[in-house]
Amino acid sequence: MAEHRKSARSASRQKAEKAHQTEALSFDFVIVGATGDLTMRKLLPAFYQRFRHGQIAATTKIIGVARSDLTVDAYRQRTVEAFREFIAPEDYDEAQATAFLQLVYYVPLDMSDKEADWNPLASQLGTEKERSRVFYVATAPRLYAQTADAIAHNGLITDTTRIVLEKPIGTDLASATAINDGVGRHFREDQIFRIDHYLGKQTVQNILALRFANPILERLWNADSIAHVRITAAETVGVGKRGPYYDTAGALRDMVQNHLLQVLSVLAMEPPPSLSATDLRDEKLKILRALRPMTHHMVHRDTVRAQYGAGMVGGKAVPGYLEDLGSDASSTETYLAIRAEIRTARWAGVPFYIRTGKRMARKETTIVVQFRPQPWAIFEGPIEPGELTIRLQPDEGVSLSLASKYPSEEGFRLKEADLNVNYAEAFKTRYPDSYEDLLMAAVRGDQVLFIRRDEVEAAWQWIEPILDGWAADARPLETYPAGSWGPESAEKLLERDGFSWKEKNQ
Ligand code: BG6
C-alpha cells in the first residue's frame, strides 16, 4: 500500500516536472557587441546550455553583430574557443557544441549607425509574425538610445521584438532618464528588458521562496524580531582590464545602484499579490522609494569608502588599484560600506548595512539577518543573538545559528550550533548561470527578472545624494590592503550601533 502511494507520488511529481519544462523555442536573437567579453564568457555559453537541455529549437538563429569584419566561420571558431575556455568540462559536449554552432551567425555592422547597410542583418531575420526577435545590446550605454533609433529607422521592430539592455543604465539620474527616454521612443516598456544579472541568480530568486513559502521565517521578518541586516558582496578579483570603465564608475555605481539594491528590495519588500512582473516590481519599487534619503551629514556619518592598496590575495602578492589602473591618482572607491534605513512600518529602526569591495579576503555574497536577543535571560552568561545567513554565492545555502546546550556535565553552558542547508547537496543538481534564465525569459517575453524603468530611476534617486555627499566630503579616500576585509572604519560603522561585520564563530 505504502509502495503504491509512493509510486503514485513519484508519477505525479514526474508529470509536474514535465509540465514545468518549457518546450523548445524558435527565435531570432541579435547580440549587439558580439565580439565582447560578456558575449563570449556568458551569453553564448548560456545559450549552449539551454540548447543542450532541449530548450532551443534548431530553427533558432543567434546572430552576432559587431564592427569587426569577420566571416561566420571565423565567428563560430571564436565561439567554440570561448566554450572550451569558459564552460566546465562536465557541462561540455563537443558534438552538442557543433550542433549548436549551426545556429550561430555573424554580421559585420555598426548598429549605432542608422545609415549603414543593414540589409545583411535584415535578411537574416525571420518574417513570421509571432516569431520572437530580441536585440541584446551589450555595447557602451551611451550608444543605447542611438542603437534603438537605428533599429527603428531600419524598420526592424515588430510587435514581438524586444530589446535587452545591459547595466549600467546611465551614470546618474539624468543620464539614466536620457537612455530610458531614448529607447522608450521606439520600444514600449513591455518590450524593454533591463538586465541585472543578480536577479538571474537562483539564490536571489530563492529569497522569495525562503520568505514567502516558509511562514516560520516570514512571521519573524520585521522590526519586532530583526535587529539588523548585513549584505556583503566581496570579491577577490581586482579591476583587471576593466580599469578605464571602473574608474569612472566605482563600487557604488558598479554594484550598489543595481545588484545590491535589488537584493535589498527583494529581501525587504512586502509579499506581492502574485509573482507577476507587475506585482513583484511594484513591491520592489516601494522599498527603493522608502530608502531614507541621505543628507550630506548622513553621507559623512553612515558611509565609508576606500580603495585597495597592494597586498596578498590567496597567498599571492597583488598590486594596488592605482598600479592596476596605471595611474598616479584616482579617487574612485573600490570598497564601500553604507548604513541604510527603510522608512516602512515593517522596518522602522532596523539598519541595513551594505558593503562591497574588490580584492577582499574571500569571494562571498551573503546576507546575514540578525535577530533580536531574548528580552529576559534565564541562562547565565552572554547569549549570542540568533543569525540567519543566506549564502548567495559560493557554497549556496542557508544556515541558522542556534544557542544550544554545550554537552558537559559541568552545568548549563550555551554555545552556538548551526542548522545548515547546502543547496548543491540538498538538490544534487547543477546551478545554472544567471544568464541562462535571463536570456530565455527575454525570449519568452517574461519581464519578472528584469528591472522596470521606475526602479532604475528610484535607485539613482537614492544613490545620487551619496555621490554628491562624497564629492563635497573633504576627507581623503581611505585605503585597505588587498586581501583584507576593508578599512577599520567600516567596522566602526556597525560598532556604533552595537553590531559587527564579523561572522559568528570567527
Ligand atoms: C558586475 C560588475 O555587474 O558584477 C563587476 O560590473 C562585478 O564589477 C560583477 O565583478 C560581480 O558579479 P558576480 O556574479 O560575480 O557577483
Side-chain angles (χ1 to χ4, degrees):
M1 186 66 186
E3 268 312 297
H4 174 72
R5 267 207 309 271
K6 220 157 124 195
S7 81
R9 246 195 337 255
S10 102
S12 82
R13 187 176 306 148
Q14 272 170 16
K15 207 166 138 200
E17 278 171 7
K18 203 149 178 213
H20 190 71
Q21 281 166 7
T22 38
E23 59 185 83
L25 299 167
S26 181
F27 53 91
D28 291 331
F29 199 100
V30 180
I31 304 177
V32 193
T35 48
D37 192 54
L38 180 78
T39 308
M40 291 298 161
R41 192 182 283 270
K42 294 285 184 185
L43 307 185
L44 290 168
F47 273 134
Y48 160 76
Q49 293 300 348
R50 293 300 95 214
F51 175 76
R52 199 165 76 97
H53 287 87
Q55 289 179 347
I56 298 181
T59 45
T60 286
K61 277 187 173 178
I62 297 166
I63 307 158
V65 179
R67 282 183 300 188
S68 311
D69 205 6
L70 292 174
T71 61
V72 173
D73 280 344
Y75 190 70
R76 288 180 177 170
Q77 184 55 32
R78 276 196 194 194
T79 305
V80 84
E81 281 160 19
F83 283 2
R84 291 188 191 127
E85 187 176 348
F86 299 121
I87 300 178
E90 64 273 20
D91 291 333
Y92 188 63
D93 176 306
E94 196 80 41
Q96 292 267 23
T98 308
F100 172 77
L101 284 183
Q102 303 315 304
L103 277 51
V104 176
Y105 297 81
Y106 182 80
V107 176
L109 171 68
D110 175 359
M111 282 189 60
S112 62
D113 178 3
K114 60 176 162 197
E115 305 302 342
D117 179 9
W118 282 58
N119 285 326
L121 174 60
S123 63
Q124 292 283 353
L125 302 172
T127 48
E128 306 89 340
K129 243 175 128 213
E130 332 57 62
R131 186 173 174 90
S132 130
R133 178 183 294 177
V134 182
F135 292 98
Y136 190 110
V137 192
T139 54
R142 65 187 157 76
L143 298 175
Y144 289 175
Q146 206 175 321
T147 304
D149 214 34
I151 296 171
H153 179 83
N154 286 282
L156 298 189
I157 306 179
T158 61
D159 207 45
T160 50
T161 297
R162 288 150 201 145
I163 187 164
V164 182
L165 304 175
E166 258 301 326
K167 72 161 257 269
I169 307 287
T171 53
D172 55 16
L173 182 58
S175 54
T177 310
I179 292 174
N180 286 333
D181 283 348
V183 176
R185 259 194 285 284
H186 305 292
F187 291 88
R188 299 183 311 266
E189 181 62 28
D190 68 317
Q191 293 177 297
I192 304 174
F193 289 67
R194 297 178 194 81
I195 285 243
D196 185 311
H197 80 276
Y198 267 53
L199 290 184
K201 289 186 193 289
Q202 299 293 315
T203 46
V204 173
Q205 295 171 29
N206 185 43
I207 298 172
L208 294 172
L210 266 180
R211 289 194 52 197
F212 303 129
N214 294 290
I216 194 175
L217 287 180
E218 187 55 16
R219 290 201 178 118
L220 299 177
W221 216 253
N222 55 51
D224 288 344
S225 309
I226 291 176
H228 78 269
V229 177
R230 311 194 292 274
I231 301 175
T232 297
E235 297 183 275
T236 50
V237 291
V239 288
K241 290 192 205 128
R242 297 169 73 224
Y245 147 74
Y246 193 88
D247 202 50
T248 61
L252 186 64
R253 289 187 174 98
D254 188 51
M255 288 293 292
V256 181
Q257 189 272 341
N258 33 72
H259 307 323
L260 300 184
L261 285 188
Q262 282 296 319
V263 169
L264 175 98
S265 46
V266 175
L267 201 64
M269 70 185 185
E270 293 302 313
S274 80
L275 284 183
S276 76
T278 302
D279 286 346
L280 207 89
R281 298 189 297 177
D282 282 352
E283 293 306 333
K284 284 193 293 158
L285 178 67
K286 286 185 203 158
I287 293 297
L288 294 170
R289 291 195 172 148
L291 283 166
R292 180 185 292 283
M294 291 250 187
T295 59
H296 277 13
H297 169 68
M298 286 164 69
V299 173
H300 189 85
R301 191 193 57 194
D302 295 342
T303 71
V304 169
R305 63 192 169 121
Q307 196 178 78
Y308 64 82
M312 299 286 289
V313 177
K316 249 180 64 189
V318 295
Y321 177 71
L322 292 179
E323 199 176 320
D324 276 348
L325 191 65
S327 161
D328 294 339
S330 162
S331 55
T332 298
E333 79 289 353
T334 62
Y335 173 98
L336 64 79
I338 301 183
R339 179 188 190 280
E341 285 175 38
I342 300 171
R343 295 169 303 166
T344 61
R346 185 190 281 261
W347 296 116
V350 179
F352 282 73
Y353 304 99
I354 301 171
R355 69 173 166 173
T356 182
K358 302 249 180 236
R359 284 280 189 239
M360 292 181 66
R362 207 175 43 231
K363 164 101 180 156
E364 74 164 58
T365 311
T366 48
I367 299 164
V368 179
V369 175
Q370 186 174 99
F371 295 101
R372 294 198 185 278
Q374 271 286 86
W376 175 251
I378 58 167
F379 303 102
E380 277 177 23
I383 306 177
E384 293 285 324
E387 281 187 353
L388 176 77
T389 303
I390 305 173
R391 297 187 301 274
L392 300 182
Q393 62 185 20
D395 183 26
E396 291 82 359
V398 184
S399 61
L400 180 66
S401 67
L402 296 175
S404 313
K405 180 185 183 303
Y406 186 75
S408 123
E409 67 298 20
E410 289 171 27
F412 217 105
R413 192 148 61 88
L414 295 178
K415 211 163 162 30
E416 297 288 295
D418 281 355
L419 209 60
N420 191 12
V421 181
N422 171 299
Y423 289 126
E425 269 171 29
F427 298 128
K428 303 206 171 15
T429 187
R430 114 179 216 282
Y431 259 79
D433 186 81
S434 41
Y435 279 93
E436 294 180 38
D437 218 355
L438 293 171
L439 296 181
M440 296 312 287
V443 167
R444 287 195 310 272
D446 179 1
Q447 289 189 305
V448 76
L449 299 177
F450 296 84
I451 316 294
R452 206 166 58 192
R453 172 179 184 149
D454 45 13
E455 289 181 86
V456 176
E457 295 179 3
W460 277 122
Q461 230 143 21
W462 188 70
I463 292 288
E464 250 190 22
I466 303 177
L467 290 167
D468 294 346
W470 284 350
D473 194 340
R475 282 178 303 183
L477 187 69
E478 294 185 56
T479 53
Y480 60 100
S484 70
W485 280 108
E488 203 30 46
S489 46
E491 185 57 28
K492 296 221 171 79
L493 187 71
L494 272 71
E495 250 172 36
R496 214 176 61 203
D497 296 336
F499 305 131
S500 169
W501 283 111
K502 298 213 177 75
E503 282 168 33
K504 296 278 191 67
N505 312 324
Q506 254 185 2

